[in-house]
DNA sequence: ACCCGGTGTCATCGC
DNA sequence: CTGCGATGACACCGG
């Protein structure tokens, strides 16, 4: 009964329209590549690298949060289409499940009135909100915020605690792990404070922090210039020898004694500089007005500072740079740039160097008489510090983007599943409508009578509708003639 | 020994 | 031109 063989009327393929997939979220093109490369240098190089890094990387206080931090959360995905939420997608009303085609009966003639009239799924209906789904993920913004005591002189323990806190999240593990043992093991030092290294340490250290092209060689005191084994700071009359256990400790100690300037007597010390998560222009400007006299005075007052840090001379057991024993009292090591700054007597703290706006930064530089070496180092420190923060932000964004794309993928899978189900429903509905049409056609034929009161044969006649809406009973022979004509 | 994730750094590009 | 942010690539470390 439900044969569709005589189906003659076109049936609108509503399901094609309804199944038009929604627009996908655009604007996301993320490379999910993560650098996982490793290198395997020669054992000699590795050993020397380790030695050098052990010496150089004592602490790390470079993690700052800049004012621009966090802007990503509110901007990056603004262009993206809000994704439909799971379950929020699809048809606006539930359909009565169409009866199976086998149950096609005339008595069900009105069953589907309107059932599919408004059933088009609103793809990407606002089932979710991009912000709600993705934004405001700023877990890092606050976790590194540290109290900044801007008035009180930080004690050594307080400084160490600050260093611990600021360095905990990143940590110079290389220094923590092997500083002490590497000092004496890998380095020789002659009476002139010259390294017996074949190469300078930063030559060995790929991530030495040197600007290979952007800064003059003097910019990196680790890098001997002109073949000199040690870095010569002419103005300061000191030999920069960052790579030697005795040399570095001695010179660093000297540097400390000359340079502690802001380190103990001001809140903006190297040691707690990173404890200031956000830049304060006012504080920076006030800081930039230090007089040279004050600097000298602070240098004189900084003798106690020399007992801190690298003065341990590589004592592995009691070296404060040994791997922390899980105690928060263990001071984090100074970063390489910090030690360079100390050695070169950079008269302002790292956070100022890194976080000051360019105008304030330049103004700060004018407050002091700085050598080319110092200037180059300062600019390198600034560049590296900013880039480090940028890299951290970049990686965070990359991870967030991956999470976002995974969510989007899951939602698209759900959407595809829903559309598949919807297509099956429409196919069933279409088959039912075809069945009903066939039945109605046969019923109409059964009521037609000729002049003799005899029914027309459905095999000899067919009903044809003209464009003006009139319906004619046409013999098949006539139709065949027309077709032949 | 190898893998993997985290991190710092450099080079480069685009604004 | 300079400064700066973003990012790929690389090296290194520690688990």
């Amino acid at each position: 009964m439900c044969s569709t063989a005589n189906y003659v009327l076109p049936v609108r393929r509503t399901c094609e329209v309804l199944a038009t997939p929604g627009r996908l979220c655009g604007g996301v093109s993320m490379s999910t590549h993560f650098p996982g490369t490793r290198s395997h240098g020669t054992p000699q190089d590795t050993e020397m690298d380790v030695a050098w890094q052990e010496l150089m990387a004592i602490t790390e206080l470079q993690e700052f949060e800049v004012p621009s931090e966090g802007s990503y959360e509110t901007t990056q995905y603004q262009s993206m289409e809000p994704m439909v939420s799971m379950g929020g997608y699809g048809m606006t009303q539930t359909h009565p499940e169409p009866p199976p085609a086998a149950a096609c009966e005339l008595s069900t003639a009105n069953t589907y009135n309107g059932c599919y009239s408004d059933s088009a799924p609103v793809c990407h209906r606002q089932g979710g909100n991009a912000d709600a789904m993705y934004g405001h993920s700023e877990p890092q913004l606050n976790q590194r915020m540290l109290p900044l005591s801007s008035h009180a002189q930080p004690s050594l323990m307080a400084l160490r605690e600050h260093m611990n806190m600021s360095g905990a999240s990143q940590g110079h593990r290389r220094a923590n792990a092997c500083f002490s043992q590497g000092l004496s093991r890998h380095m020789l030092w002659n009476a002139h404070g010259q390294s017996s290294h074949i190469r300078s340490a930063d030559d060995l250290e790929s991530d030495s922090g040197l600007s290979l092209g952007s800064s003059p060689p003097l910019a990196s005191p680790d890098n001997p210039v002109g073949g000199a084994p040690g870095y010569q700071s002419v103005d300061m009359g000191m030999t920069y020898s960052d790579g030697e256990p005795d040399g570095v400790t001695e010179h660093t100690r000297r540097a400390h004694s000359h340079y502690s300037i802001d380190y103990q007597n001001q809140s903006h010390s190297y040691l707690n500089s990173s404890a200031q998560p956000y830049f304060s222009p006012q504080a920076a400007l006030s800081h930039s007005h230090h007089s040279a006299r004050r600097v000298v005075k602070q240098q004189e007052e900084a003798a106690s500072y020399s007992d801190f840090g690298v003065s341990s001379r590589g004592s592995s057991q009691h070296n404060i740079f040994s791997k922390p024993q899980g105690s928060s009292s263990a001071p984090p090591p100074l970063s390489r740039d910090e030690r360079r700054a100390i050695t070169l007597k950079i008269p302002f703290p790292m956070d100022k160097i890194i976080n000051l706006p360019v105008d304030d930064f330049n103004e700060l530089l004018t407050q002091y008489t700085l050598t080319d070496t110092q200037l180059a180092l300062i600019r390198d420190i600034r560049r590296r510090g900013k880039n480090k923060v940028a890299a951290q932000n970049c990686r965070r964004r990359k991870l967030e983007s991956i999470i976002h794309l995974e969510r989007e993928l899951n939602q698209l899978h759900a959407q595809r599943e829903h559309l598949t189900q919807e297509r099956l429903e429409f196919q069933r509905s279409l088959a039912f409508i075809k069945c009903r049409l066939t039945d109605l056609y046969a019923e109409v034929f059964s009521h037609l009578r000729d002049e003799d009161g005899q029914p027309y044969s459905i095999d000899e006649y067919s009903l044809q509708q003209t464009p003006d809406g009139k319906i004619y009973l046409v013999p098949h022979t006539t139709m065949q003639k027309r077709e032949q004509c």
Side-chain angles (χ1 to χ4, degrees), chain A residues 264-410:
Chain A
Q264 282 201 329
N265 300 317
Q266 295 186 18
S267 59
H268 305 297
S269 72
Y270 275 113
L271 301 180
N272 66 358
S273 59
S274 65
Q276 186 177 13
Y278 294 101
F279 163 65
S280 171
Q282 291 76 11
L285 286 175
S286 66
H287 175 80
S288 68
H289 294 154
H290 298 156
S291 66
R293 181 182 303 173
R294 184 178 180 182
V295 169
V296 173
K297 184 173 185 294
Q298 289 162 343
Q299 288 174 344
E300 294 171 353
E301 295 173 351
S304 61
Y305 183 78
S306 63
D307 291 333
F308 181 77
V310 291
S311 62
S312 61
R313 289 178 180 267
S315 171
S316 59
Q317 281 77 15
H318 301 84
N319 194 322
I320 61 173
F321 304 124
S322 299
K323 190 169 185 177
Q325 306 298 317
S327 169
S328 61
S329 62
L334 289 170
S335 72
R336 196 168 45 211
D337 278 338
E338 287 166 337
R339 277 175 282 113
R340 288 170 179 156
I342 290 172
T343 307
L344 285 187
K345 304 179 183 178
I346 306 300
F348 28 83
M350 297 282 288
D351 62 337
K352 294 293 180 295
I353 295 175
I354 296 171
N355 295 325
L356 276 179
V358 61
D359 291 339
D360 295 337
F361 174 68
N362 290 329
E363 181 181 350
L364 177 64
L365 294 181
T366 63
Q367 306 295 320
Y368 301 90
T369 301
L370 299 168
T371 67
D372 291 342
T373 303
Q374 288 174 309
L375 284 173
L377 175 61
I378 288 169
R379 295 192 185 281
D380 271 356
I381 288 172
R382 181 174 173 86
R383 177 178 51 78
R384 279 191 288 264
K386 285 185 174 297
N387 185 247
K388 184 168 73 174
V389 175
Q392 290 166 352
N393 293 336
C394 183
R395 284 164 178 146
R396 178 171 49 84
R397 281 193 299 268
K398 182 181 286 185
L399 291 177
E400 291 172 351
S401 178
I402 289 172
I403 293 172
H404 173 76
L405 290 174
E406 287 175 347
R407 288 177 183 169
E408 191 176 73
L409 181 64
N410 290 334

Side-chain angles (χ1 to χ4, degrees), chain A residues 19 22 27 30 32 91 112 119 124 132 136 138 161 182 185 188 207 211 240 261 265 330 333 433 435 441 443 464:
Chain A
M30 272 304 303
T32 58
M91 305 175 76
Y112 278 94
S119 60
H124 288 260
H136 308 308
E138 41 191 21
E161 288 179 0
R185 184 154 51 100
L188 296 174
D207 55 345
S211 273
Y240 189 100
I261 317 170
N265 300 317
I433 293 173
C435 180
Y441 191 87
E443 184 180 5
Q464 300 290 324

Side-chain angles (χ1 to χ4, degrees), chain A residues 14 27 47 95 109 154 191 193 214 237 246 353-354 416 422 426:
Chain A
T14 52
E47 188 173 353
H95 303 192
S214 62
D246 294 339
I353 295 175
I354 296 171
R416 184 178 63 179
E422 195 176 52
F426 282 124

